[in-house]
Every structure is written in structure tokens, then in C-alpha cells.
Amino acid sequence: MKNLLLSFVCLLTMISFNSLASDSKTDTLKKTSQYVLYSKTENINDIFISKNKKSKDNIVSVKISFASVQSNSNAIKTAVLQGNKQYGEDNHPTISNVKILKGKYEDMKGEAASKTASLYTFTKLEFPLHLQVSFMGEIVDFELLEPGKWDIDLKLKK
């Protein structure tokens, strides 16, 4: 009887340790009360997500930049993919696909931010907004939990 009770206590202890260990595991890179960064591919060096608390606009701005200059031209150019056609320069970061997993946006506009960066602005949003953005073979998966003016800065490795 004593051995049976001891075995039962050991079993309960192992189950509680396993449940605590599984609770500490996460499938996210970063989670706050305002956003969740689920994943990024390895060639994305840094991601900075911030919300302007003073702005009343509901806008998501995604800036994609290279760590080093890749353009020999002094002209500022960008590229936007629409359907199967690309408009702009190949050497600027280009969003190739946006998969909406939750929420919605109606408009996306691309423009040059510098010689090595493109700025994409998403408007007419519905939150929470969970997007999987593909660009230049890289993917970032994030969710914005509340309305506001969001700035997302993606830095690509050299």
C-alpha cells in the first residue's frame, strides 16, 4: 500500500512538472499585450514593432531595409508587386505576398523610403490583424492586437 501511494505521488509530480514545462514553451518570438511576433525567417536581422500612442490613425507602416547599400544609383526607387507584374526596381525590398490570417486591410501602397529601403502602408484595417508577409524570399508572421498607428521596421541581413 505504501509503495502504491509513493508511486501515485511520483506520477502526479511528473505530470505537474511536464505541464509546467509545456506552459513555458511558446510558439512565438515575442508576445506583448499589444502585438505578437510569431516567426521570422533567418535572413531577417531585426524586427522593431511599435505603436504611436498619440495618433488616432489606424495605419500599419512596414519599412523593409537592407543592412548595406545595394544600389549604385542616387535615385530613390522602389518596387511593388501587383498580381504577376512587378513595378519598380529589382534591387529594392519588394513585398510579394501578404496572407491575411485574421482581420483585414483594404489598401496597400508602396514607396521608396531611401536608397536601400521600401515603405509599405496598409490602410482601412480591421483589428486584431494577423498577417504573414513575404518579401524577397523572407517571411514574417505577426499579429497586431489593437487599433492604432503601427510602425514595423524590418532589417535584412547583409
Side-chain angles (χ1 to χ4, degrees):
M1 182 67 168
K2 199 176 197 181
N3 287 341
L4 184 62
L5 184 59
L6 185 58
S7 297
F8 184 72
V9 169
C10 287
L11 179 64
L12 286 177
T13 304
M14 286 175 35
I15 291 171
S16 64
F17 279 131
N18 284 341
S19 67
L20 287 174
S22 65
D23 286 346
S24 65
K25 291 179 186 175
T26 181
D27 59 348
T28 61
L29 296 177
K30 186 169 185 179
K31 184 174 184 176
T32 71
S33 61
Q34 296 178 332
Y35 71 90
V36 179
L37 176 59
Y38 290 105
S39 64
K40 69 176 183 72
T41 52
E42 67 179 52
N43 286 326
I44 300 173
N45 193 32
D46 288 315
I47 299 176
F48 302 100
I49 300 175
S50 63
K51 181 181 170 197
N52 184 329
K53 294 179 181 172
K54 295 180 181 180
S55 177
K56 301 293 182 200
D57 295 328
N58 288 338
I59 295 174
V60 174
S61 300
V62 178
K63 182 180 175 187
I64 307 168
S65 58
F66 293 112
S68 63
V69 176
Q70 296 203 3
S71 174
N72 294 332
S73 171
N74 289 331
I76 296 176
K77 301 172 185 171
T78 192
V80 177
L81 273 174
Q82 295 179 350
N84 292 329
K85 295 183 180 179
Q86 178 171 314
Y87 302 92
E89 294 296 313
D90 290 337
N91 61 350
H92 261 70
T94 306
I95 289 180
S96 57
N97 188 31
V98 179
K99 187 184 292 185
I100 302 170
L101 302 174
K102 188 188 295 182
K104 74 174 187 174
Y105 74 89
E106 288 185 23
D107 296 324
M108 179 180 74
K109 183 178 104 177
E111 61 184 299
S114 71
K115 286 196 285 186
T116 60
S118 294
L119 178 66
Y120 292 89
T121 305
F122 297 84
T123 55
K124 298 182 182 175
L125 308 165
E126 181 182 292
F127 290 89
L129 182 63
H130 185 169
L131 300 177
Q132 197 173 64
V133 180
S134 302
F135 56 96
M136 301 185 69
E138 305 303 321
I139 297 173
V140 63
D141 185 356
F142 61 90
E143 183 173 4
L144 306 175
L145 302 173
E146 56 187 47
K149 182 184 182 307
W150 289 91
D151 294 312
I152 301 171
D153 193 4
L154 302 167
K155 302 262 187 210
L156 296 173
K157 291 181 181 177
K158 293 181 182 183

